[in-house]
């Protein structure tokens, strides 16, 4: 029997692998490496949250939950979103507990896109956005946020990119990789474009709790936007729960029912043990969250100051745990910079172009690592830049 040359579907074969992975793979076998590459907290999940998972196992909660997640957890999510973001969602019909924000983004796109529908993807952005649009049969239309505006997308840029096939705008604020956050006024301008062209906003709010200077506003809380917003969030970042794989998505009932169909066939339900842990986090986790936020804030200030002092211009990001310094003065592109920094100083950063072409000329440095490690990393980067 003759085998086909490849069994892969074209749209899968043509997907580029993540530009982040490459740099982690390159560190294999190297010692004394400091990684500013990872997008996850260096904190361990708070003890009471871990204990809640252990107790759930001891109590024998080892079976599936409802497809949409434990009702108790959905009720706690509804309360949290209402208390902190002033948006009311019905836990029975408008909230789904997912396997991380990653699954939430995936099922949201699959629920709303017909083949060929366009989604405006604001770049630089998290690596999964454009590939997930493609996998859902849609067409990602890249809108490059400009460095002159500290990578905050302008409403006019979105307006210019809208066509009759545009279905949604995908936006993440505070942003990975830039740390930029839209002000309420800037969000209102984006919302105006969405309303004018009858678009949905797929709002990735996973960094909503990691905001250091201003108050946070959810897209769903902007006047008239609740009905056209799909609010994605999760526990990975603010509760230091990346490995538990737990997120959630809030959306109007019709969209939620659509997402739930995909979720029930593909996933069934998120991990039961992780759901009990998250429930404890929502009920009693705010002081831990506040402690972690305080620590990230100090680290942000230190890293931004250090990078600027060594000549790598870096605006002060309002949220998340990333800085995005400009490395153009070194004369290198972002990939060469990251490669040489790794081999010459053993510090991992991620080239800006891993997050879209508009990230070229920048690198992402995560400060989700200890102050001691950050001090040493800044010393090494300074040495590298001085020796160029
Ligand atoms: N959205 C953004 C902007 C992220 O940075 C990440 C992870 O880095 C995710 C979503 C995925 O989060 P989760 O671990 O909840 O799947």
């Amino acid at each position: 029997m003759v085998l086909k040359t490849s069994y892969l579907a074209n749209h899968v074969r043509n997907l580029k692998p993540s530009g982040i992975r490459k740099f982690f793979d390159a560190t294999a076998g190297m010692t004394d490496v400091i990684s500013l590459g990872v997008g996850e907290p260096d904190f361990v999940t708070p003890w009471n949250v871990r204990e809640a998972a252990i107790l759930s196992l001891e109590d024998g909660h080892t079976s599936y939950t409802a497809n949409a997640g434990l009702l108790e957890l959905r009720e706690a999510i509804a309360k949290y979103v209402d208390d902190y973001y002033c948006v009311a969602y019905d836990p029975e019909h408008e909230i789904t507990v997912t396997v991380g924000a990653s699954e939430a983004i995936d099922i949201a796109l699959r629920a709303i896109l017909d083949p060929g529908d366009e989604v405006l993807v604001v770049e630089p952005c998290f690596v999964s956005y454009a590939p997930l649009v493609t996998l859902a049969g849609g067409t990602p239309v890249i809108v490059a946020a400009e460095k002159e505006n500290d990578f905050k997308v302008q409403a006019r840029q979105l307006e210019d990119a809208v066509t009759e096939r545009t279905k949604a705008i995908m936006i993440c604020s505070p942003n990975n990789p830039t740390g930029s956050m839209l002000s309420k006024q800037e969000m209102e301008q984006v919302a105006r474009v969405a309303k004018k062209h009858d678009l949905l906003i797929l709002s990735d709010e996973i960094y909503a709790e990691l905001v250091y200077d201003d108050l946070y506003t959810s897209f769903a809380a902007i006047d008239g936007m609740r009905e056209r917003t799909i609010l994605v969030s999760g526990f990975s970042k603010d509760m230091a729960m990346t490995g538990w794989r737990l997120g959630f998505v809030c959306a109007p009932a019709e969209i939620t029912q659509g997402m739930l169909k995909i979720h029930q066939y593909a996933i069934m339900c998120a991990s039961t043990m992780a759901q009990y842990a998250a429930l404890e986090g929502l009920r009693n986790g705010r002081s831990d969250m506040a402690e972690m936020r305080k620590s990230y804030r100090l680290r942000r200030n230190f890293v931004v100051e250090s990078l600027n002092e060594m000549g790598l211009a870096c605006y002060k990001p309002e949220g998340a745990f990333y800085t995005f310094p400009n490395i153009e003065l070194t004369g290198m592109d972002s990939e060469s910079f990251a490669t040489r920094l790794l081999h010459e100083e053993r510090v991992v950063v991620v080239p800006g172009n891993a997050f879209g072409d508009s990230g070229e000329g920048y690198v992402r440095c995560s400060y989700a690592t200890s102050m001691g490690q950050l001090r040493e990393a800044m010393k090494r980067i300074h040495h590298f830049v001085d020796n160029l």
Side-chain angles (χ1 to χ4, degrees):
M1 194 175 70
V2 183
L3 293 178
K4 291 183 189 177
T5 353
S6 168
Y7 287 96
L8 288 180
N10 288 330
H11 66 284
V12 174
R13 193 176 324 115
N14 295 337
L15 278 185
K16 277 198 304 188
S18 157
I20 298 186
R21 236 356 333 134
K22 201 163 91 184
F23 274 80
F24 294 130
D25 295 346
T27 62
M30 289 176 79
T31 53
D32 188 27
V33 174
I34 300 179
S35 180
L36 308 185
V38 287
E40 65 176 326
D42 57 317
F43 299 105
V44 175
T45 310
W47 168 245
N48 60 320
V49 174
R50 285 182 276 156
E51 193 179 38
I54 296 166
L55 290 178
S56 79
L57 294 178
E58 284 182 356
D59 288 345
H61 294 303
T62 54
S63 46
Y64 298 129
T65 66
N67 291 138
L70 287 168
L71 183 56
E72 257 180 304
L73 176 58
R74 281 179 281 145
E75 284 167 349
I77 292 168
K79 180 170 171 5
Y80 162 75
V81 174
D82 201 5
D83 286 352
Y84 293 97
Y85 309 118
C86 303
V87 197
Y89 284 102
D90 169 4
E92 296 214 37
H93 303 108
E94 296 184 313
I95 297 178
T96 311
V97 177
T98 55
V99 179
S102 301
E103 192 224 338
I105 298 167
D106 184 34
I107 60 173
L109 289 167
R110 287 204 272 159
I112 62 170
L113 295 181
D114 281 312
D117 279 350
E118 294 174 1
V119 178
L120 305 188
V121 177
V122 176
E123 274 190 0
C125 66
F126 183 46
V127 290
S128 79
Y129 291 178
L132 287 181
V133 172
T134 306
L135 288 172
T139 304
V141 174
I142 304 303
V143 177
E146 294 156 344
K147 58 182 175 187
E148 293 75 15
N149 299 314
D150 290 351
F151 293 105
K152 296 179 189 197
V153 73
Q154 307 292 295
R156 62 161 169 82
Q157 295 184 277
L158 296 166
E159 183 80 54
D160 289 348
V162 171
T163 72
E164 58 199 24
R165 292 308 307 263
T166 311
K167 190 91 176 247
I169 301 171
M170 242 173 135
I171 215 156
C172 176
S173 169
N175 178 275
N176 173 9
T178 67
S180 273
M181 183 171 92
L182 297 180
S183 66
K184 184 162 183 226
Q185 200 187 11
E186 288 160 334
M187 292 168 82
E188 283 165 350
Q189 285 162 3
V190 172
R192 225 166 282 143
V193 178
K195 287 181 209 164
K196 180 173 164 195
H197 298 281
D198 192 17
L199 308 178
L200 290 166
I201 299 266
L202 180 42
S203 180
D204 183 345
E205 307 195 5
I206 192 147
Y207 294 105
E209 288 289 346
L210 302 180
V211 166
Y212 306 113
D213 306 312
D214 261 335
L215 282 180
Y216 181 75
T217 305
S218 166
F219 250 110
I222 301 280
D223 235 14
M225 288 307 291
R226 184 194 179 283
E227 296 312 309
R228 53 175 77 252
T229 297
I230 303 178
L231 191 171
V232 167
S233 193
F235 302 89
S236 285
K237 314 290 175 171
D238 53 22
M239 202 57 77
M241 290 182 73
T242 48
W244 298 76
R245 309 307 306 122
L246 209 71
F248 62 88
V249 51
C250 306
E254 189 207 2
I255 297 175
T256 296
Q257 292 320 305
M259 291 191 291
L260 202 51
K261 282 196 233 174
I262 304 167
H263 175 80
Q264 83 189 5
Y265 289 129
I267 304 291
M268 202 94 97
C269 68
S271 149
T272 302
M273 169 180 78
Q275 292 190 53
Y276 279 102
L279 183 58
E280 168 63 18
L282 282 175
R283 285 179 176 161
N284 299 309
R286 290 216 66 82
S287 56
D288 289 305
M289 246 193 231
E291 278 304 306
M292 291 190 262
R293 189 186 305 117
K294 204 159 94 188
S295 170
Y296 289 135
R297 189 172 190 278
L298 288 175
R299 301 173 192 186
R300 174 199 65 166
N301 294 348
F302 168 71
V303 171
V304 168
E305 203 173 301
S306 307
L307 291 167
N308 279 309
E309 260 171 31
M310 63 181 91
L312 300 182
C314 181
Y315 58 87
K316 200 174 196 179
E318 293 96 332
F321 38 53
Y322 309 105
T323 52
F324 207 53
N326 183 304
I327 49 99
E328 282 164 330
L329 107 165
T330 65
M332 282 183 267
D333 61 30
S334 60
E335 198 140 342
S336 316
F337 181 96
T339 308
R340 278 189 59 185
L341 182 66
L342 173 62
H343 290 291
E344 294 172 30
E345 299 287 344
R346 298 174 319 288
V347 175
V348 182
V349 296
V350 182
N353 67 356
F355 308 97
D357 292 343
S358 56
E360 186 46 78
Y362 291 76
V363 293
R364 186 188 79 173
C365 304
S366 160
Y367 49 87
T369 191
S370 73
M371 203 60 168
Q373 291 276 84
L374 287 173
R375 278 207 189 88
E376 177 60 23
M378 290 302 121
K379 219 188 296 169
R380 292 184 189 184
I381 298 177
H382 203 157
H383 183 247
F384 175 69
V385 173
D386 273 356
N387 283 348
L388 286 173

